[in-house]
Amino acid sequence: MITADSVRKLVSSFPDPETGRPVGQLGQVGEVRVEGDRVHVGLGLTSWAAPIQDETLTRLRDRLVSELGIEESDCVVEALPHERKAEKLGQVGVTAKSVIAVGSGKGGVGKSTIATSIAYGLKNAGARVGLMDADVYGPSVPHLVGINERPTAINQRLQPIEKDGLKLISMGFMVPAEEAIVWRGPMLHGAVTQMLRDTDWGDLDYLVIDMPPGTGDIALTLSQLLPLTGAVVVCTPQDVALLDAVKAIAMFRKVSIPVLGVVENMSYFLCPDNGQRYDIFGNGGAKAKAAQLGVPFLGEAPISIDLRKRGDDGQTGGNYADDYIAPYLWNITRQMVRNIAASHAEKPATPSLPVL
Ligand SMILES: Nc1ncnc2c1ncn2[C@@H]1O[C@H](COP(=O)(O)OP(=O)(O)OP(=O)(O)O)[C@@H](O)[C@H]1O
């Protein structure tokens, strides 16, 4: 006979996606009801896990169905909100659970577009997200999301600009582009440190950092300032771009930033007139290269006129309203979170010591 206790025990050992620790240890098992063969379970999930909430619930339900030998239709697993504060990270004290750098080997491959789309995807799913545009050589995020105003400071803390619930700070707010372009290492280091340390980010699930293309200076600076969850490398499919992406991967590895995966942008073009697919820059090269280098592939995004138009109009966040490009962007975002959750399950976080 199935009892609430036996179900609770099964649920308790299920790993929390955010920490990798059993949910039973973290007070995340909610109400468990058993009526004959019908089982109803409440699972507490944090906003960090929101992008993979549905599949997490399905995984738990599948486990219960197989272990208890019941019908899928008799097992209901429901998400309950679970609060968990982020810890202050590194010497800059950013309060975030995951810090993700988005980089590329060269400019113009759509790095800022993908970084912004990832940030919006996480935010739309229900996570608390900050986006830091550290691309000194082309700080394009304010343009992509349509922000013209400058951040204010309260008690010498920069207040990020909020756009649709996304918190944003850009190098473009700090310095005129023509000035930053001639900066050397120490000045870049100072500016990035200041953006991280002196911004009122609040409590974030994810901080997404749009990196300048190519250069190792900022990757090195970041790795010294706070523990990064990992880097996403954006590239286009042609061979020369892939060579640069390989260099970017090597650069992140050199400064011990794990590579969360590669994104192939501008993978192909679907002609709206005849539905014909054109592999303008070739296709599939990034996936093959990622496999060869032993890094995950996060997904592809085709060339989309809407994506480019929305960028020009400061409406990049609106890409999720577009039927054609939205599933590709969402797939990349979700695959990234899945990969982070899988690494948490492999290496669960050590529990914080109780306060005596
Ligand atoms: N999949 C795509 N389809 C169509 N246009 C795209 C796509 N991805 C990006 N773009 C467009 O390409 C241009 C460059 O994109 P973006 O600024 O994101 O590149 P970047 O790699 O960050 O460049 P840089 O490093 O020079 O800032 C923009 O006009 C953007 O709208």
Side-chain angles (χ1 to χ4, degrees):
M1 197 182 72
I2 302 169
T3 62
D5 270 353
S6 62
V7 175
R8 183 169 281 279
K9 206 165 159 203
L10 273 177
V11 176
S12 293
S13 64
F14 188 75
D16 169 44
E18 184 193 308
T19 59
R21 289 169 56 202
V23 290
Q25 280 181 12
L26 302 164
Q28 285 170 261
V29 187
E31 194 190 5
V32 175
R33 281 198 315 269
V34 176
E35 286 147 18
D37 267 359
R38 286 186 68 78
V39 170
H40 184 288
V41 170
L43 176 68
L45 287 173
T46 59
S47 51
W48 183 94
I52 50 168
Q53 176 172 300
D54 289 353
E55 57 199 68
T56 304
L57 297 179
T58 304
R59 224 158 3 97
L60 176 59
R61 192 200 58 198
D62 289 350
R63 187 187 276 197
L64 292 174
V65 164
S66 101
E67 301 251 352
L68 299 170
I70 56 176
E71 294 293 323
E72 215 173 272
S73 54
D74 281 336
C75 187
V76 176
V77 179
E78 177 200 16
L80 306 170
H82 187 84
E83 272 293 316
R84 186 179 299 122
K85 284 202 175 313
E87 288 176 17
K88 278 190 191 300
L89 298 178
Q91 46 171 294
V92 282
V94 171
T95 316
K97 291 175 177 174
S98 292
V99 182
I100 292 142
V102 181
S104 67
K106 65 191 199 92
V109 297
K111 172 184 53 59
S112 302
T113 303
I114 297 294
T116 306
S117 299
I118 287 177
Y120 266 103
L122 296 168
K123 191 272 305 176
N124 290 350
R128 293 162 302 181
V129 186
L131 176 58
M132 177 171 132
D133 176 13
D135 186 351
V136 263
Y137 307 119
S140 46
V141 174
H143 180 78
L144 290 174
V145 301
I147 289 179
N148 297 313
E149 64 214 273
R150 290 275 176 276
T152 52
I154 300 179
N155 296 331
Q156 296 185 322
R157 306 272 294 151
L158 275 176
Q159 306 301 305
I161 307 272
E162 282 212 41
K163 179 84 198 272
D164 313 319
L166 193 71
K167 293 182 177 173
L168 182 88
I169 280 288
S170 168
M171 200 63 110
F173 296 152
M174 316 289 194
V175 276
E178 58 282 4
E179 209 175 281
I181 207 101
V182 296
W183 280 8
R184 294 278 173 265
M187 288 176 85
L188 287 177
H189 181 90
V192 170
T193 308
Q194 197 193 344
M195 274 209 294
L196 283 168
R197 190 193 53 206
D198 299 343
T199 300
D200 233 338
W201 290 108
D203 198 336
L204 296 178
D205 290 313
Y206 299 88
L207 176 63
V208 179
I209 304 177
D210 182 16
M211 306 271 286
T215 135
D217 287 345
I218 291 190
L220 180 61
T221 289
L222 283 176
S223 67
Q224 291 166 345
L225 291 176
L226 80 175
L228 266 88
T229 310
V232 170
V233 175
V234 181
C235 65
T236 47
Q238 64 274 50
D239 282 350
V240 279
L242 290 175
L243 286 176
D244 287 322
V246 172
K247 281 191 212 147
I249 291 170
M251 170 194 84
F252 283 121
R253 284 181 165 165
K254 198 164 176 189
V255 295
S256 303
I257 298 175
V259 177
L260 294 170
V262 171
V263 170
E264 184 175 281
N265 190 25
M266 310 191 196
S267 278
Y268 54 85
F269 177 64
L270 266 191
C271 179
D273 299 334
N274 58 9
Q276 174 95 26
R277 171 180 161 147
Y278 298 95
D279 291 347
I280 294 179
F281 301 122
N283 171 264
K287 192 173 189 177
K289 191 57 86 182
Q292 197 187 337
L293 295 173
V295 294
F297 182 67
L298 297 181
E300 58 183 21
I303 295 174
S304 150
I305 296 173
D306 280 343
L307 189 64
R308 199 269 309 148
K309 260 196 207 148
R310 289 220 169 90
D312 282 351
D313 295 346
Q315 294 292 329
T316 296
N319 289 321
Y320 279 92
D322 180 85
D323 286 340
Y324 174 57
I325 197 74
Y328 293 93
L329 300 174
W330 175 228
N331 184 44
I332 290 164
T333 305
R334 203 175 29 179
Q335 191 55 45
M336 183 195 78
V337 177
R338 272 188 207 128
N339 290 359
I340 303 174
S343 72
H344 290 166
E346 254 171 50
K347 246 197 256 162
T350 36
S352 308
L353 291 173
V355 180
L356 297 174

